[in-house]
Amino acid sequence: MNKFNIALDGPAGAGKSTVARLVANELGFVYIDTGAMYRAVTWKVLELGILADQTAKVIETAKAMDIVLQPGPTGQQVLVDGEDVTDRIRSAAINANVSLIAQIAEVRELLVSKQKAMAASKGVVMDGRDIGTQVLPDAEVKIFLTASARERAERRYKEMDKPAITVEQLELEIARRDKLDSEREVSPLVQAQDAVLLDSSNIPLQDVVGKVLELCRAKVTGGT
Ligand code: CDP
Ligand code: CDP
């Protein structure tokens, strides 16, 4: 298959990163998790004791950071100024703050320009919230992946080793983040006009992956 770009957007826990990774493996494409970049900035900001509303300091910190996404033994590895923060960017504190950092226009501008550069040579599957609308508006395949809030919370709950919260609390936390992401002024989470909507509620993972691959084949053979 010739190289092209796939934009995969949707709310938290919809299955974006899992589907994107499997599709990328199948096609021999590069998987890029843009959420990890917003998480990396949030990690650094919290490490430095800066609050999310200290906007000027957050921007200064984001500008000075070197964020590298690279393939690792268990998926995408995230390095900040050479330090491996892959696991640390998934903490509860980061979940609680990342959407506040992600609503700062200058932080978005900075990360979006890096993301565009990463996809310039094509052959990427990129997941996030604004990929089809802002980062790769010309992506050949655009998908908006969703599922009910309850199911998304249950999926996330099942992934937890020793959950410190209930599935109900997790659902509330996810709903709060979805609301912040969907209602922010800059590049809100929204389905691109030309994206295909896939609701994965009660749909097994392999079927969702199969559907995405089918859309890719149709696109490259001129079917849709
Ligand atoms: O994996 P999960 O769906 O929990 O979130 P993520 O993809 O790691 O993204 C974390 C947060 O980063 C989101 O809730 C958004 O606030 C922000 N984000 C964004 O604004 N734009 C993107 N392209 C990707 C993530
Ligand atoms: O990246 P995003 O936040 O959208 O979701 P994810 O981290 O890829 O998926 C959350 C969990 O849902 C993972 O454990 C997936 O294996 C699972 N999943 C599922 O059970 N059924 C699907 N159709 C898609 C994902």
Side-chain angles (χ1 to χ4, degrees), residues 10-21 31 33 39 90 127 129 145 147 151-152 154-156 158-159 177 200-209:
K16 299 180 300 298
S17 41
T18 315
V19 170
R21 195 166 31 239
Y31 162 53
D33 170 8
R39 286 175 179 274
R90 307 280 155 196
D127 93 33
R129 301 293 188 286
L145 187 62
E151 178 151 345
R152 292 187 281 118
E154 280 171 359
R155 288 175 183 176
R156 275 288 154 87
K158 276 192 206 144
E159 283 179 338
R177 197 142 60 87
S200 74
S201 309
N202 302 313
I203 313 242
L205 184 58
Q206 281 310 329
D207 292 4
V208 179
V209 172

Side-chain angles (χ1 to χ4, degrees), residues 41 93 104 178 211:
V41 174
I104 302 173
D178 288 348
K211 182 72 192 164

Side-chain angles (χ1 to χ4, degrees), residues 12 16 34-35 39 99 102 108 129-130 156 177 181 184:
K16 299 180 300 298
T34 62
R39 286 175 179 274
S99 293
R108 300 202 69 82
R129 301 293 188 286
D130 59 343
R156 275 288 154 87
R177 197 142 60 87
D181 290 344
R184 68 177 172 228

Side-chain angles (χ1 to χ4, degrees), residues 95-113:
N95 287 341
N97 284 281
V98 62
S99 293
L100 302 173
I101 300 296
Q103 61 190 8
I104 302 173
E106 290 85 347
V107 170
R108 300 202 69 82
E109 255 168 52
L110 193 74
L111 298 187
V112 167
S113 79

